[in-house]
Amino acid sequence: MSGRAPEAAAERHHAGAPLTPDAYSVSVADTNQHYDLDPDLFGEFLDPLRKYSSGLYLSDADTLEQAQRQKLTFVAGRLALRGGERLLDAGCGWGSLLLFMATEFACDTLGISPAPRQHEYIASQAAARGLTDRVHTRVGHFERIELPQRHFDAVTMLGSIVHMPDAPGVLRRAKAALRRGGMLYVSESCFRNEKARNAFDDRDGTRFIRGDIFGFGELRPLSELVAAAEDAGFSIVAVDDLTDHYRRTIDDWIANVDAAADRIEAHGAGSTARLRRYLEIANAGWGYTTKHYALTCRNGR
């Protein structure tokens, strides 16, 4: 839901040397500032698992919580999970997928995120659920963290590759981390085509989301993600259009923001208005300039 960042931010993000504490702080601010806000803020408008991406609505009566659990079950199906798999979540957010897969499928999970507060929150939730032996996280950027080769049965990226400047490189790293036959699931908001990107990438709303909310984001057409996955050596298993589901998800988030406006505002003057503006801009583009897709791939070799 965001556009292209200044070249300086991308250069900092791509720096090959290990991050110093000062450089790490800059990197978090430039690329993940939104995700390192107080976890309680997100608890005001997300579902109880704090899943911050599209749900999956199977009926008109579904609640946000039901939709998010149904989406995680859908992801498990796309990954062909049977139980006990080793799963890597690149851009793990508040840990909803890690906690769900560890609980429902006894997966050994590893989440990666550069936002320290997310790791603190996930650790507390894993401890409360008795999952510390199955839920692990590492602070840092997926592009730079050392990972065992051909180790994982599944890799997931739910709404996170948009914050990674080098999508082809990211998908190559994902493939290298997967065992033969391992599965990759990427869900992402995309410009509906290159023409839409050229027309809307530099509009006021896009700049607001990119600069004021996230700090970095590269919204790509689906064709770019498919090409990058194919070039990395993946076989494409499925492409699912979840656009309408994300629209309804954000409608539910907006309703929760309105209901919790006073509590959200306590996190800082103007917090409610900024959050609501971001969500309204995102929802205005569905089907017109943007789509939300799930791409499932298999590492066949």
Side-chain angles (χ1 to χ4, degrees), residues 21-54:
D22 286 345
Y24 175 74
S25 297
V26 169
S27 185
V28 168
D30 283 349
T31 65
N32 289 275
Q33 57 196 21
H34 183 62
Y35 300 114
D36 208 39
L37 297 173
D38 187 342
D40 291 342
L41 170 65
F42 297 89
E44 297 292 356
F45 70 97
L46 301 181
D47 68 294
L49 276 177
R50 300 192 184 182
K51 183 173 172 297
Y52 202 12
S53 59
S54 176

Side-chain angles (χ1 to χ4, degrees), residues 11-256:
E11 290 171 359
R12 284 192 292 270
H13 192 83
H14 278 306
L19 287 174
T20 65
D22 286 345
Y24 175 74
S25 297
V26 169
S27 185
V28 168
D30 283 349
T31 65
N32 289 275
Q33 57 196 21
H34 183 62
Y35 300 114
D36 208 39
L37 297 173
D38 187 342
D40 291 342
L41 170 65
F42 297 89
E44 297 292 356
F45 70 97
L46 301 181
D47 68 294
L49 276 177
R50 300 192 184 182
K51 183 173 172 297
Y52 202 12
S53 59
S54 176
L56 184 67
Y57 293 82
L58 301 182
S59 79
D60 292 341
D62 284 349
T63 66
L64 175 64
E65 180 176 2
Q66 289 171 325
Q68 294 294 21
R69 294 186 68 85
Q70 287 162 182
K71 173 64 175 302
L72 291 168
T73 300
F74 171 79
V75 174
R78 280 287 181 250
L79 296 173
L81 298 184
R82 295 293 179 264
E85 287 87 356
R86 292 173 293 193
L87 185 148
L88 170 66
D89 190 18
C92 58
W94 303 103
S96 59
L97 186 143
L98 303 175
L99 297 165
F100 183 88
M101 300 305 180
T103 300
E104 302 296 330
F105 293 89
C107 289
D108 181 13
T109 64
L110 173 63
I112 297 173
S113 165
R117 281 184 169 179
Q118 293 185 332
H119 297 267
E120 297 163 4
Y121 177 80
I122 292 167
S124 69
Q125 293 299 306
R129 290 166 166 78
L131 295 172
T132 54
D133 60 331
R134 296 180 189 168
V135 175
H136 316 277
T137 67
R138 292 178 63 185
V139 179
H141 293 281
F142 175 68
E143 298 94 319
R144 287 199 294 271
I145 282 183
E146 291 188 14
L147 296 167
Q149 301 292 289
R150 302 181 72 83
H151 174 78
F152 295 95
D153 300 295
V155 174
T156 55
M157 301 178 191
L158 275 66
S160 58
I161 201 169
V162 68
H163 302 302
M164 302 176 188
D166 181 12
V170 165
L171 294 177
R172 288 194 298 270
R173 281 183 61 83
K175 185 177 186 299
L178 280 167
R179 65 165 176 82
R180 183 175 182 176
M183 302 296 291
L184 169 71
Y185 178 96
V186 179
S187 58
E188 195 51 81
S189 300
C190 301
F191 278 119
R192 61 177 302 131
N193 51 40
E194 187 65 22
K195 182 178 179 180
R197 174 158 68 179
N198 292 337
F200 291 92
D201 189 52
D202 199 36
R203 295 290 181 92
D204 288 345
T206 308
R207 289 198 300 269
F208 166 73
I209 294 175
R210 178 178 60 228
D212 289 16
I213 302 297
F214 291 111
F216 175 82
E218 177 67 41
L219 216 64
R220 306 168 175 95
L222 173 65
S223 56
E224 280 194 16
L225 294 180
V226 170
E230 289 177 332
D231 289 346
F234 282 107
S235 297
I236 307 301
V237 173
V239 177
D240 297 287
D241 183 352
L242 302 176
T243 304
D244 289 341
H245 297 278
Y246 213 162
R247 179 189 291 111
R248 186 166 166 186
T249 301
I250 295 180
D251 283 342
D252 281 346
W253 289 345
I254 290 173
N256 289 345

Side-chain angles (χ1 to χ4, degrees), residues 262-281:
D262 291 343
R263 295 190 299 275
I264 291 173
E265 196 67 10
H267 289 271
S271 295
T272 307
R274 287 178 66 242
L275 181 57
R276 203 179 198 289
R277 183 185 176 197
Y278 152 53
L279 296 174
E280 287 176 340
I281 291 171

